[in-house]
Amino acid sequence: MALTGVLRPGHVQMRVLDLEESVKFYGDVLGLVETGRDAQNRVYFKTWDERDHNSFIIRQADKAGLDFYAFKVDSKASLDKFEADLRAYGVSTERIPAGEMLETGERVRFEIPSGHLIELYAEKKDVGNGLPYVNPEAWTALAEKGIAPIRMDHILLYGPDIEKSQKIFEDVLGFYLVEHVVLEDDTTDLAIWLSCATKAHDLAFVRHPEPGKVHHVAFQLESWERVLRAADIMTMNKVTIDMGPTRHGITRGTTIYAFDPSGNRFETYCGGYSSYPDWQPIKWTVDEVGRGIFYHDRKLNDAFLSVVT
Amino acid sequence: MDKHRITIEDTCESYLQSGLQTVLAGMAALGRKHIPVGCHGGGCGVCKIQVTAGTYEKRVMSRAHISAEDEASDRVLACRIWPTSDLRLKVLGKMGKSLCCETAASGTANPSSKKL
Ligand code: FES
Ligand SMILES: [Fe+2]
């Protein structure tokens, strides 16, 4: 197997201010599939095409924002090894028992210097995408319900000490830098885009004074037309759009940033190039960051650096 | 439905809106910018205001930005209140625009002074 270790983003748990309003939003407007609720009153979703039981979990809380972001690893042996390696690197870890999240195996949780909780796990039940594993069709009716993304794709986190978080992902977990924005001192990164496989990014960070903040969770769509269709659906449902439809210079993805009913930003994203670990990272200078983030507007909007949950 | 007059005491400007829109949405729909506009969902806190006169209905707001005491003293998020009378308010929220306070402070020029 060529792809080993950390395979991909696996699940993210977000806090919402009103659970039922958010269930309606994520189910009917974004078009995720609800797959369960647990005793803690968390609601589990996946995209129509994801095969594992859940990728997006919400719970009601008095603050919006991120609880944790998790990556799936290729085996229980890798999970054990990553846990040992993290500890040897000086990162404390916590084991969360199998079943604490529905249909999900043991998780290793750790906090990174930017103030976010990250998890690794090896097992989540394959519930399928509704198509058989032998001679399937191309899609199901759920592929047309709401915005209907294909997968939970990546996250952009805001916090301090992003270079320290970067080192943990690179040195211990095998991630590599794909693109970065360098501040005027030509040394300090304002923002970094990291990949664990061949996507342009699985995880990104922007340097920010407050720890543990989230800028957006991104969901992948199939085409630019689907991004435009997503914008129509947002307007029909009075969803607040922050930016777009437009393109990012960085990663080249086409995109809309918008907000869920609790003010958590999400992205409906398409494209982005394939990257490989032997490639040289792409550098952006801070005077061109506007074009890097919003390729057509060529300037940041006020909300990009200020509005997070 | 009756329109309510919203008056921003900081700038003495005012606008009319219905009670079907939040104070923030009513302002933004007119293309105005007195109150910082963020998530429109009560999560990010940039639209924090002090209501100084008038009545309103409200929905749940993030406790990261509005404490119970704030709420009791009419310090609320403009995106989570609906006017039920004319309102007067002061703007409390800000956009923190700096491109990284830690490092930008040591640089020669402040990047946030550029049009970002
Ligand atoms: S705009 Fe984000 S809390 Fe009001
Ligand atoms: Fe993104």
Side-chain angles (χ1 to χ4, degrees):
Chain A
M1 170 165 72
L3 185 55
T4 57
V6 178
L7 298 177
R8 60 172 179 272
H11 60 244
V12 57
Q13 181 169 309
M14 298 294 294
R15 298 184 298 268
V16 299
L17 300 176
D18 179 326
L19 190 68
E20 287 314 318
E21 176 187 39
S22 300
V23 167
K24 265 187 87 63
F25 171 79
Y26 283 106
D28 298 345
V29 181
L30 192 52
L32 302 181
V33 181
E34 185 179 329
T35 56
R37 298 191 183 211
D38 69 14
Q40 296 178 41
N41 217 10
R42 293 182 291 190
V43 184
Y44 293 66
F45 296 92
K46 69 180 206 51
T47 70
W48 74 270
D49 203 23
E50 283 169 335
R51 300 174 183 193
D52 286 356
H53 179 270
N54 59 73
S55 63
F56 190 81
I57 301 104
I58 56 175
R59 75 173 173 103
Q60 184 165 309
D62 66 4
K63 302 176 179 73
L66 170 75
D67 277 338
F68 49 81
Y69 187 63
F71 295 92
K72 191 173 193 185
V73 303
D74 64 358
S75 63
K76 286 175 91 166
S78 290
L79 188 65
D80 293 341
K81 179 170 186 318
F82 283 131
E83 182 178 38
D85 292 350
L86 282 164
R87 291 185 169 203
Y89 203 79
V91 179
S92 27
T93 63
E94 177 193 356
R95 280 260 173 176
I96 298 170
E100 195 274 342
M101 267 177 60
L102 292 183
E103 306 291 1
T104 304
E106 253 190 317
R107 290 130 66 204
V108 169
R109 178 184 287 179
F110 54 100
E111 186 175 346
I112 54 175
S114 49
H116 304 91
L117 292 178
I118 302 294
E119 296 183 348
L120 305 174
Y121 68 94
E123 296 174 321
K124 200 184 284 283
K125 186 175 181 194
D126 174 5
V127 296
N129 60 6
L131 297 167
Y133 281 108
V134 179
N135 304 331
E137 299 299 345
W139 44 277
T140 72
L142 290 173
E144 296 294 309
K145 185 191 167 213
I147 292 170
I150 299 167
R151 68 176 178 226
M152 192 274 288
D153 189 83
H154 64 264
I155 197 165
L156 173 54
L157 301 175
Y158 273 41
D161 295 329
I162 61 172
E163 69 289 343
K164 295 182 187 148
S165 293
Q166 176 182 359
K167 279 196 73 64
I168 294 169
F169 281 99
E170 287 178 349
D171 296 351
V172 187
L173 302 173
F175 285 59
Y176 61 96
L177 182 68
V178 180
E179 302 204 32
H180 58 143
V181 177
V182 185
L183 287 168
E184 288 181 337
D185 65 3
D186 202 31
T187 309
T188 313
D189 282 332
L190 169 68
I192 52 176
W193 284 257
L194 303 172
S195 180
C196 65
T198 62
K199 282 154 62 186
H201 60 324
D202 293 294
L203 174 65
F205 291 94
V206 166
R207 191 178 300 277
H208 184 75
E210 279 172 290
K213 295 289 174 180
V214 59
H215 183 275
H216 67 264
V217 175
F219 295 90
Q220 188 200 26
L221 299 177
E222 253 169 340
S223 66
W224 173 232
E225 283 206 319
R226 293 288 291 204
V227 176
L228 298 178
R229 176 180 172 277
D232 291 343
I233 292 172
M234 290 174 194
T235 292
M236 290 171 197
N237 289 282
K238 299 187 171 59
V239 174
T240 302
I241 293 178
D242 177 32
M243 178 54 85
T246 185
R247 179 196 283 281
H248 294 306
I250 296 165
T251 74
R252 299 190 204 144
T254 50
T255 180
I256 305 168
Y257 285 154
F259 294 103
D260 85 352
S262 309
N264 295 307
R265 194 187 278 94
F266 66 98
E267 177 178 29
T268 49
Y269 175 88
C270 170
Y273 55 85
S274 300
S275 69
Y276 301 93
D278 60 315
W279 281 11
Q280 190 180 143
I282 292 171
K283 169 175 154 178
W284 293 77
T285 55
V286 73
D287 55 318
E288 292 277 348
V289 68
R291 187 164 62 90
I293 303 295
F294 300 126
Y295 189 64
H296 301 147
D297 288 71
R298 284 168 272 154
K299 58 176 188 279
L300 297 184
N301 63 353
D302 285 347
F304 186 78
L305 290 169
S306 308
V307 175
V308 292
T309 56
Chain B
M1 174 175 259
D2 282 354
K3 298 266 182 181
H4 305 297
R5 179 158 296 278
I6 313 297
T7 304
I8 316 238
E9 294 189 348
D10 312 69
T11 55
C12 293
E13 285 170 281
S14 73
Y15 55 94
L16 279 174
Q17 70 162 95
S18 88
L20 295 175
Q21 277 183 311
T22 67
V23 167
L24 192 69
M27 180 204 74
L30 296 171
R32 307 232 186 160
K33 292 187 169 158
H34 323 289
I35 309 171
V37 176
C39 67
H40 282 279
C44 75
V46 301
C47 67
K48 190 168 179 176
I49 55 171
Q50 169 81 61
V51 177
T52 53
T55 57
Y56 54 87
E57 275 166 15
K58 65 187 174 191
R59 286 203 53 211
V60 59
M61 306 174 226
S62 174
R63 281 278 179 255
H65 304 289
I66 301 293
S67 65
E69 193 196 327
D70 280 340
E71 209 172 319
S73 318
D74 294 312
R75 286 188 293 275
V76 291
L77 297 173
C79 68
R80 301 297 268 184
I81 66 163
W82 287 259
T84 52
S85 74
D86 290 354
L87 284 186
R88 297 182 67 83
L89 61 90
K90 287 184 177 149
V91 177
L92 301 176
K94 301 197 239 321
M95 288 289 198
K97 253 187 269 182
S98 114
L99 268 179
C100 174
C101 19
E102 293 148 309
T103 48
S106 60
T108 43
N110 180 0
S112 69
S113 63
K114 293 197 182 115
K115 191 91 174 79
L116 289 173

